[in-house]
Amino acid sequence: MRKELTIALAGNPNSGKTTLFNNLTGARQHVGNYPGVTVEKKEGTLKYRDYKIKVVDLPGTYSLTAYSIDEIVTRNFVTEEKPDVVIDVIDASNLERNLYLATQFMELGVPLILALNMSDVAKKQGTKIDKNRLSELLGVPIVSTVATKKIGMSELLDEVVSLAEAKIESEKIVMNYGKEIREELKKLEEVLKKDKPLIEKYHSRWLAIKLLESDAEVIKKAEKSSSSEEILGAVEKSITHLKGIFNDEPDAIIADKRYGFISGACSEAVSRNYETRHTTSDKIDKVLVNRIVGLPIFLGLMWLVFRFTFKVSEPLMGWVEVMQESLGNMFGGILPDGSAIQSLVVDGIIGGVGSVLIFVPIIFLLFLAMAVLEDSGYMARAAFIMDRLMHKIGLHGRSFIPMLLGFGCNLPAIMATRTIEDRKDRLVTILVNPFISCGARLPVYTLFIGAFFSERIAGNVLFSLYVLGMIVAIVMAKIFRRFLFRGPASPFVMELPPYRMPTIKGLFIHMWERGAVYLKKAGTVIFVGCVLIWFLSSFPWHPQYSKDYNTLIEQAQENEELVSKLENEKAFEKMEKSYAGRIGRTIAPVFRPLGFDDWKMSVGLIGGFIAKEIVVGTLGTLHSVGEADEESKTLRQALQNQKHSDGSRMYSPLVAYSLMVFVLLYMPCVAVIAVIKRETNSWRWPIFTAVYTTAIAWIVAFVIYQGGTLLGLGGLLK
Amino acid sequence: MKGQYLPLNMISPGRKVKLVAVRGGQGIRRRLNDMGLNIGAEFRIVHSHFSGPCIIAVDNTRLVLGRGMSQKILVEET
């Protein structure tokens, strides 16, 4: 029978941890979420000798404080799930900084192995590491690896197995914090021992250290303890005592001692022979990060990314549409004509699945482009360049990429906010992203601009909509930052990894990771939504028609034109009398102050909840135009001729603009709502987004319409 | 000039400095600590704008410090 092991991979960001993880698990990976948080949980499996090993890729962290979710998740995993072995992946060319995290794992008392990764870079750099001596000094086994070349993998696994099999607790080196701190730690441990369950779960020494460091999470645990008063009292005493001696906070001293320990070990086991030379990365950076040239280069690159994505995805999207049609025809032929089941399969399901698949090429390509930018190291520079501008809005440099992606599709844009570390910044970026006009809303603009605005100003009108979207996004970001998510901007310290050549395998894995998630989750939601809309607009199946259409159509058999006209009329009436139609009519009055009191438009807008492209198709059906798309002349004419009950024209340029503003700003499609739920891990934010965006849409459209009417712009602009 | 403690954003690019003190709360100090910038750490300025973020080279790493940060880090030229 196979024995099972669980190991965890930890380490600094950019230490090569992910490459190592990919080496070990290959395609056998699975991405999920840690419960209650938005941190990704990556797991994979492999078989080695006679073990089945589960590998968990913990988030990249520099430390194990309680300041960031990544760190908390990492240390919780290690203390609660108690993996058999923890591998700390160390960037050998940055030894001392990377060892800082290692010392904290040592404090936690977990079975630890150091993977001295990037040892090729270190060698090239002139750093010589005496692995065995270092291992002796630190009290931890060390394996040399070069993950990018797959060197050291089996040695690493051998060490894992030995460590896991060694049931005896090896003699661990206890770090020397100096006499004074050691004494206070002893005192605290004595008090902590009174809470047995707490000690059993966590190392008493680790708890004591964390309490002296005023670690927020550990303090919370102490507060919940049965001996909380005693513990917290002792902690306060110790901290005050130490402050008096050192004239500094205990946590600073402890950090100092850690570095001292590391320095000591390194001075014995590591010899350095390098001067700071200009590496290639620095040379590239001189240009790319340059104050004058950097920004235009960045914008140019972004433009390229977009062109690439949209150009290449167009033919692919065409294929999807063709496939959709042929499937539709096939099933349409098999299933009984005019039956509910045929409609469900062809319109509801194939139509539904089609609208999901349509997104797939664009999303995967965007993710591929992002993977290239990230893996090569450029993304960090981009965040740096945009930081100044973003700061003025109250956001982070990293918020820029999601905003940019939003012009294509809000879905991958919101998923891209994962690179933003600060929770508040991330939330604000997510909440304002829907105002960036996505590609799916374009058909609606094209239709209405074409119908109600002269060609001369058409381009400007379109541009004004996009700009309006951005302005609203910026204003709301500022408001959120000021009132809802107050707080100082998180200290911006970020590592600029050296430029490197992305590997095809890495790119593909990164692209697939994000794309697959979209497919799985959003796909189910869009699919269900489409079926729902189909249901609402198709039932009652046999409404009370005003004419006996069936008979009339039979009679008119020869006359194709008449048959077509009758069928359109029948479809129109069916939709008018369907549930969706009734809902549309109930909602329509809400839009009267915005200038349009049109049940057909309301139904269209409801369709827009599911996917914005549906709006135009729905309008086409309701105006009895059969196959309608945004270029359709007849649909334009139908809209132009639409009248109120009193006979006056419904739509004027002003009304059309007010409508488009509403479409621009109102609730994003269901897929986006679903993704917001996933990324924020609660229903609160997606619901809030749906409500507030629609409210803002209504208010702004109202202001525009009423303001415009007051200013007498009603008939202008044609 | 040796011996003087200056905020980081006042040092010209290319110079080597040693971190002497950090004006700020625990949050900032910890974050810097985690990234390898403890008291006594030596590094080089790669890029620096007076009012903007700056890039420094610590060991073999490049770090970007936001504009608020570079004002709060006091260094001594080495």
Side-chain angles (χ1 to χ4, degrees), chain A residues 594-657:
Chain A
L594 307 184
F596 49 99
D597 177 2
D598 176 13
W599 71 270
K600 296 177 216 146
M601 196 64 224
S602 307
V603 177
L605 289 172
I606 293 177
F609 283 167
I610 307 301
K612 301 282 177 272
E613 292 93 327
I614 293 185
V615 178
V616 173
T618 312
L619 283 178
T621 313
L622 293 174
H623 286 272
S624 321
V625 187
E627 289 284 312
D629 61 33
E630 62 272 16
E631 303 283 321
S632 175
K633 279 255 161 52
T634 37
L635 180 54
R636 285 193 206 172
Q637 285 165 348
L639 284 168
Q640 285 164 344
N641 291 327
Q642 181 150 0
K643 296 191 169 51
H644 280 141
S645 40
D646 63 1
S648 61
R649 285 250 173 107
M650 170 89 71
Y651 288 107
S652 66
L654 180 62
V655 177
Y657 196 76

Side-chain angles (χ1 to χ4, degrees), chain A residues 400-540:
Chain A
F400 185 70
I401 306 285
M403 305 283 258
L404 210 55
L405 285 176
F407 283 109
C409 177
N410 295 117
L411 208 67
I414 290 181
M415 289 174 82
T417 57
R418 287 200 191 154
T419 54
I420 303 174
E421 294 153 350
D422 181 69
R423 193 184 142 263
K424 290 191 205 125
D425 279 334
R426 186 167 177 227
L427 253 173
V428 173
T429 311
I430 291 180
L431 287 177
V432 302
N433 201 275
F435 292 129
I436 308 277
S437 183
C438 73
R441 303 185 203 224
L442 197 49
V444 179
Y445 306 150
T446 317
L447 174 65
F448 278 87
I449 292 180
F452 296 103
F453 292 92
S454 70
E455 266 200 55
R456 216 179 7 107
I457 57 171
N460 295 335
V461 176
L462 185 61
F463 187 63
S464 75
L465 286 170
Y466 276 95
V467 169
L468 181 60
M470 286 194 279
I471 294 178
V472 175
I474 292 175
V475 167
M476 287 313 297
K478 277 206 118 140
I479 294 181
F480 279 137
R481 229 19 189 108
R482 201 118 181 274
F483 297 107
L484 232 53
F485 301 104
R486 239 181 299 222
S490 53
F492 186 38
V493 184
M494 188 177 65
E495 192 179 335
L496 283 184
Y499 286 107
R500 57 181 99 119
M501 198 53 160
T503 60
I504 303 281
K505 184 175 178 193
L507 286 178
F508 187 75
I509 291 185
H510 289 142
M511 175 188 85
W512 182 256
E513 265 176 1
R514 294 166 152 171
V517 168
Y518 163 73
L519 278 179
K520 265 181 274 185
K521 288 295 173 74
T524 44
V525 177
I526 293 189
F527 181 80
V528 168
C530 279
V531 172
L532 189 65
I533 280 271
W534 167 83
F535 177 77
L536 287 176
S537 52
S538 312
F539 283 82

Side-chain angles (χ1 to χ4, degrees), chain A residues 132 349 552:
Chain A
N132 297 324
I349 297 184
L552 285 171

